[in-house]
Amino acid sequence: MPTPTTTDPAPAPPKTPSAAAPPGATRRGRIARLLPGLALSLLAAVVAILFSRAVPQASPALVAILLGAALTNLASLPQALRPGLALASRAVLRLGIVLLGLQLAVGDILALGPGAIVLVVAVVSLGVAAGALAGRMMRLGSAQSLLVACGMSICGAAAVAAVRGSLAPTPRPGEDAQAARERLDAETGTAVALVVALGTLMIPLLPLAAAALSLPEGVAGIWTGASVPEVAQVVAVGSVLSPQALKIAVVVKLGRVVLLAPLIALVTARTRREAREAGSTTAAPPLVPLFVLGFLAAVAVRSFGFIPEAAVAASSQVASLLLAAAMFALGTGLRRDVLRTAAGRPLLLALAVLGLVTALGLVGAFAIA
């Protein structure tokens, strides 16, 4: 009987390694993913700035965050927008903060005298410390308490977002890392909405109070700069008061903005320490974030007169555009459930910190004017 023959299977064709995508194509693909959300953020920023020029009482940050909140609650945002919105809420925001440093000249702040410097330091340090303590007593999360306190005590929405960049999302029981990050973003959006909205209410209220108290221009200007959260809001209030009060208010306010850098360093140091104590394997943020170093470098450039005034004015417009774009992106995180939580304890905390800062500002203004 003949032995059956076996047929060997045909050899598989040799595997050819897949050609790697050219670096240029990968880069173009990444840019293409970012463009839709980034373009929408910048467009919303332009709309917010134009609206604020027509209605000076409405700051671009407030208009932008309201646009973002309205869009996310009235329509379902396509996933294609998410990468660009994330870029706007972080990288674009940090660039705007760096450019904000070009508006600060240390010499202008020192010219106010030691009393004004002590007042600025007192408002910022006591406002932040009291806000963090009050938030703990209200059983708010430490991150949200710090975000609200810094926004009210330093420079509004820019301070909130800068502090967010120095905080590490800490998962709660039952949360994963992504859920913790989304919660921190929502808390950031809530804090921004509160400080911008309450600061905007001060635009008509503070001039009325100054008139009722018959405050001199100098006292009214110092009080405005020491207590109103946003730089744009300070300008609006000062414009209602008088040109002299406006000039004083802006310089005092910029003194508060200067303290953003050391505060971010302290927050980052605390975040690193907490990560070590918890045994976290996540890479700790740098002690002084790169955008804070850029902010300090911009302050130095302006203080030493290395940049002409025309460039300073242009950088102010660009900073407003970038910060408004970032506020719009943060506003898209303010869903209905987040907005409902803002009406409770976070609102009470924001009112408490604003009340303390306003009282300190008034007492200090009388003491040094």
Side-chain angles (χ1 to χ4, degrees):
M1 184 175 179
T3 304
T5 60
T6 59
T7 305
D8 292 334
K15 294 182 179 180
T16 57
S18 58
T26 304
R27 192 179 303 111
R28 286 193 296 272
R30 189 179 301 117
I31 293 173
R33 287 193 299 272
L34 294 173
L35 275 179
L38 186 58
L40 178 62
S41 298
L42 292 172
L43 177 61
V46 171
V47 172
I49 290 172
L50 293 176
F51 184 87
S52 68
R53 288 179 179 174
V55 184
Q57 292 77 13
S59 71
L62 175 63
V63 177
I65 199 168
L66 289 177
L67 285 174
L71 181 62
T72 197
N73 285 287
L74 296 177
S76 179
L77 292 180
Q79 283 298 119
L81 295 174
R82 297 297 179 185
L85 291 173
L87 179 71
S89 67
R90 291 179 175 83
V92 171
L93 170 77
R94 293 172 181 178
L95 180 56
I97 292 172
V98 170
L99 291 179
L100 188 62
L102 290 177
Q103 312 308 309
L104 309 177
V106 175
D108 292 341
I109 299 165
L110 295 178
L112 289 174
I117 296 172
V118 170
L119 173 60
V120 165
V121 173
V123 165
V124 171
S125 57
L126 293 177
V128 172
L133 178 60
R136 188 180 308 164
M137 294 172 63
M138 294 178 183
R139 296 185 180 180
L140 283 171
S142 60
Q144 185 158 44
S145 301
L146 188 62
L147 290 166
V148 172
C150 291
M152 286 298 182
S153 305
I154 306 176
C155 55
V160 173
V163 171
R164 162 62 183 89
S166 301
L167 294 173
T170 304
R172 293 174 179 173
E175 278 186 342
D176 57 15
Q178 180 62 26
R181 189 176 301 109
E182 291 177 354
R183 174 174 49 80
L184 182 56
D185 285 340
E187 291 173 345
T188 302
T190 300
V192 169
L194 288 171
V195 299
V196 173
L198 293 180
T200 300
L201 288 177
M202 294 187 73
I203 295 174
L205 294 180
L206 196 144
L208 289 174
L213 295 171
S214 300
L215 297 182
E217 287 184 340
V219 174
I222 294 172
W223 186 27
T224 300
S227 54
V228 177
E230 291 271 347
V231 175
Q233 294 160 356
V234 168
V235 173
V237 174
S239 299
V240 175
L241 293 171
S242 71
Q244 179 64 18
L246 171 60
K247 181 178 179 181
I248 295 172
V250 169
V251 175
V252 173
K253 176 61 185 176
L254 294 181
R256 291 165 66 192
V257 177
V258 167
L259 295 181
L260 178 64
L263 182 108
I264 295 300
L266 290 174
V267 171
T268 307
R270 193 190 75 167
T271 301
R272 291 163 63 95
R273 185 180 68 251
E274 290 177 347
R276 287 195 303 268
E277 291 172 353
S280 174
T281 57
T282 305
L287 183 57
V288 182
L290 184 60
F291 76 93
V292 174
L293 293 177
F295 173 84
L296 292 174
V299 173
V301 166
R302 172 69 191 281
S303 298
F304 287 106
F306 294 149
I307 182 169
E309 288 302 317
V312 171
S315 71
S316 176
Q317 299 301 316
V318 175
S320 296
L321 177 69
L322 297 179
L323 292 174
M327 293 307 108
F328 171 80
L330 288 171
T332 60
L334 292 177
R335 302 178 306 275
R336 290 186 182 89
D337 54 338
V338 176
L339 292 172
R340 281 194 293 268
T341 64
R345 289 173 294 173
L347 174 59
L348 292 177
L349 176 61
L351 288 169
V353 177
L354 181 59
L356 173 63
V357 167
T358 303
L360 286 173
L362 181 58
V363 172
F366 272 117
I368 65 178

